[in-house]
Amino acid sequence: MDFTIPDHLQDLTQRVRHFIDSEVIPVEQQLQQTGAELTKEQVFALRDKAKAAGIFAPTMPKALGGLGLNIQEWVPILETAGRSLLGPLAIHCAAPDEGNMHTLHTFANPEQVERYLRPLAEGRVFSGFSMTEPPPGAGSDPTMLMTTATRDGDEWVINGLKWYTSNGTIADFLLIMALTDPDKGAHKGSTIFLAPIDTPGITIVRDVPTMGRGDFGGHAEIRYENVRVPHSAILGEQGQGFAIAQARLGPARLTHCMRWLGIAQRAMEIAAEYAGTRHAFGKPLAEHQATAFMLADSAMEIHYARLMIHHAAWLLTNGDQARSETSMTKVVTSEVVNKVIDRAVQICGGTGISRDLPLASWYENARAFRIYDGASEVHRMVTARQIVKKYAAPRQ
Ligand SMILES: Cc1cc2nc3c(=O)[nH]c(=O)nc-3n(C[C@H](O)[C@H](O)[C@H](O)COP(=O)(O)OP(=O)(O)OC[C@H]3O[C@@H](n4cnc5c(N)ncnc54)[C@H](O)[C@@H]3O)c2cc1C
């Protein structure tokens, strides 16, 4: 196997790194110190600079203004952008827009591409993916979907309650998962609809207050009450909702891993710098074995998470759905990221807890990664099921 990163990709990665260091991290530091929230205007200003630098929309094809890279090529770019939580927003590969763009690129018809995907890919609008519902509706188990869409002539009428729709409060349009054929169950009877946010009947109830600062776009609770959309609002086919959601989740999960790996890498670098320069008991912290081992564990874990990401990305690039590989990679990376940040906080002592460093906000924000896009337990359950199916087959 050849692990060489080709020259053009190395060059692009370096340009992204320069942009993150010179344009993004100063904004991150300013927000950190003032406690201010990132504004849409700041995002648009960073996006203009990213466009000028030729590093905008790495996951989109050139025809839509993107860089035209394959999934394997996304890995170093998204990891580098992910060195700051603002980086992916700036170069336009942040969740949930990135996953929605990929989904629309795969399933939208030409009219939907012009109306929804093109402005989204250009970074002028925001989108949300509205699937999760409060109990007793869909959560870890999406087959518990309760939101319905009922046909009325040429229209569909959507009713239901969703929550944790990321970007909900700033979105210009939503992808809404609803049950259209209840007798077929959620697997075959659910459909995704596209609707502008100002469609009558869509009400943002609130942004669910969550752990972590600077979570741009928030996570909204949204009520759908007699929301009328035309039949042409269906993404893909009627009854294809679950399959589309599955097709979205594989790559979307992996891009979360790519971005968060950048944070883990930077957290380790911050910890190493502190440990190498701060003295205690007559020598640098890094020379105390307990600290050195924490750094070594972080380096090893980041390395294996990165290799898993590269492998799953290679499979996806080559047409494999990589369902179990993206699942396993998501569990490993989300747990590695949390451990690495936790160790970095520990190594940096009081400074790790302070807002002088970004570690505190990463610590808060990373926790959700073990829950969204499938909790670790659900991925472990699916992985175990596949192993048992493979190795516990009845003997012939
Ligand atoms: C920051 C954030 C952003 C999100 N963004 C979106 C979004 O944009 N769109 C959207 O639709 N949703 C979004 N979600 C929702 C997310 O996908 C759900 O939180 C996730 O699927 C889990 O569902 P739940 O919260 O209902 O947990 P539940 O289903 O209530 O599960 C709770 C816990 O039960 C355990 N569990 C569940 N099943 C099993 C099992 N089989 N075996 C063992 N343990 C199990 C797990 O530990 C799990 O964490 C977001 C969530 C967060 C926190």
Side-chain angles (χ1 to χ4, degrees):
M1 272 197 191
D2 186 354
F3 288 93
T4 314
I5 297 184
D7 286 349
H8 75 277
L9 203 54
Q10 283 197 39
D11 172 64
L12 188 59
T13 307
Q14 274 167 17
R15 287 195 284 129
V16 173
R17 175 65 192 265
H18 176 71
F19 180 79
I20 298 299
D21 289 348
S22 61
E23 300 291 349
V24 175
I25 290 180
V27 179
E28 172 198 279
Q29 285 172 342
Q30 182 238 327
L31 296 177
Q32 206 171 284
Q33 278 150 21
T34 59
E37 295 286 336
L38 182 72
T39 63
K40 270 188 183 180
E41 289 65 35
Q42 283 173 304
V43 173
F44 291 141
L46 284 170
R47 286 183 176 180
D48 286 343
K49 289 181 182 172
K51 281 179 190 169
I55 55 169
F56 188 72
T59 64
M60 281 285 96
K62 287 188 174 165
L64 287 163
L67 300 183
L69 304 173
N70 65 36
I71 297 181
Q72 216 180 337
E73 292 171 321
W74 298 355
V75 181
I77 304 301
L78 268 64
E79 180 187 335
T80 306
R83 289 175 64 81
S84 165
L85 292 178
L86 310 186
L89 273 169
I91 75 161
H92 200 21
C93 57
D97 283 340
E98 174 271 314
N100 291 340
M101 288 192 290
H102 190 65
T103 307
L104 291 171
H105 185 234
T106 313
F107 295 100
N109 62 35
E111 192 198 323
Q112 292 166 339
V113 165
E114 292 311 315
R115 181 165 182 198
Y116 294 107
L117 178 55
R118 191 171 294 282
L120 184 61
E122 286 170 0
R124 292 189 279 122
V125 302
F126 298 95
S127 63
F129 188 82
S130 206
M131 185 161 94
T132 306
E133 300 166 342
S140 296
D141 182 355
T143 64
M144 290 158 72
L145 190 69
M146 292 188 71
T147 299
T148 56
T150 316
R151 185 95 192 234
D152 182 16
D154 247 6
E155 291 183 327
W156 288 86
V157 186
I158 305 172
N159 279 289
L161 183 63
K162 303 278 189 183
W163 66 1
Y164 300 107
T165 299
S166 299
N167 265 4
T169 39
I170 60 159
D172 295 85
F173 70 92
L174 298 167
L175 286 78
I176 309 156
M177 174 83 114
L179 208 50
T180 43
D181 305 86
D183 44 326
K184 292 186 183 164
H187 271 117
K188 298 252 180 290
S190 60
T191 302
I192 294 177
F193 294 89
L194 287 159
I197 196 75
D198 57 2
T199 308
I202 297 181
T203 308
I204 305 289
V205 180
R206 60 174 179 148
D207 244 340
V208 182
T210 52
M211 200 194 293
R213 251 170 46 163
D215 212 359
F216 182 77
H219 312 287
E221 181 172 337
I222 306 180
R223 185 179 304 286
Y224 298 90
E225 204 166 12
N226 295 322
V227 178
R228 284 186 171 269
V229 294
H231 187 69
S232 59
I234 289 179
L235 180 65
E237 309 271 331
Q238 180 181 336
Q240 210 190 356
F242 202 83
I244 294 177
Q246 285 299 318
R248 177 188 189 278
L249 275 176
R253 234 170 236 151
L254 202 63
T255 54
H256 270 308
C257 296
M258 297 173 198
R259 291 181 292 259
W260 273 114
L261 193 72
I263 291 289
Q265 174 69 32
R266 194 167 151 220
M268 184 190 67
E269 292 171 16
I270 289 171
E273 188 185 344
Y274 190 86
T277 51
R278 173 71 162 152
H279 284 66
F281 304 98
K283 54 187 178 182
L285 287 174
E287 289 177 24
H288 292 279
Q289 194 183 55
T291 307
F293 277 21
M294 280 198 268
L295 287 171
D297 286 344
S298 291
M300 289 186 277
E301 289 169 12
I302 288 171
H303 188 55
Y304 65 63
R306 186 180 285 121
L307 288 174
M308 288 181 82
I309 294 169
H310 273 286
H311 178 242
W314 173 77
L315 285 172
L316 285 170
T317 301
N318 287 291
D320 192 304
Q321 283 202 331
R323 281 168 81 159
S324 68
E325 287 80 5
T326 53
S327 229
M328 291 191 291
T329 306
K330 197 271 179 180
V331 175
V332 166
T333 310
S334 63
E335 294 179 0
V336 162
V337 167
N338 274 273
K339 280 191 282 186
V340 170
I341 297 170
D342 184 70
R343 288 190 199 110
V345 168
Q346 193 69 18
I347 290 171
C348 294
T351 311
I353 299 293
S354 78
R355 300 264 180 213
D356 288 352
L357 289 176
L359 296 173
S361 76
W362 296 346
Y363 185 88
E364 293 164 347
N365 280 292
R367 186 60 184 83
F369 187 25
R370 286 168 52 199
I371 293 171
Y372 57 65
D373 280 8
S376 295
E377 293 75 16
V378 176
H379 286 294
R380 282 193 164 89
M381 185 188 71
V382 173
T383 303
R385 203 184 276 154
Q386 284 161 351
I387 301 169
V388 172
K389 196 171 151 198
K390 187 168 176 188
Y391 296 109
R395 288 178 195 280
Q396 298 291 324

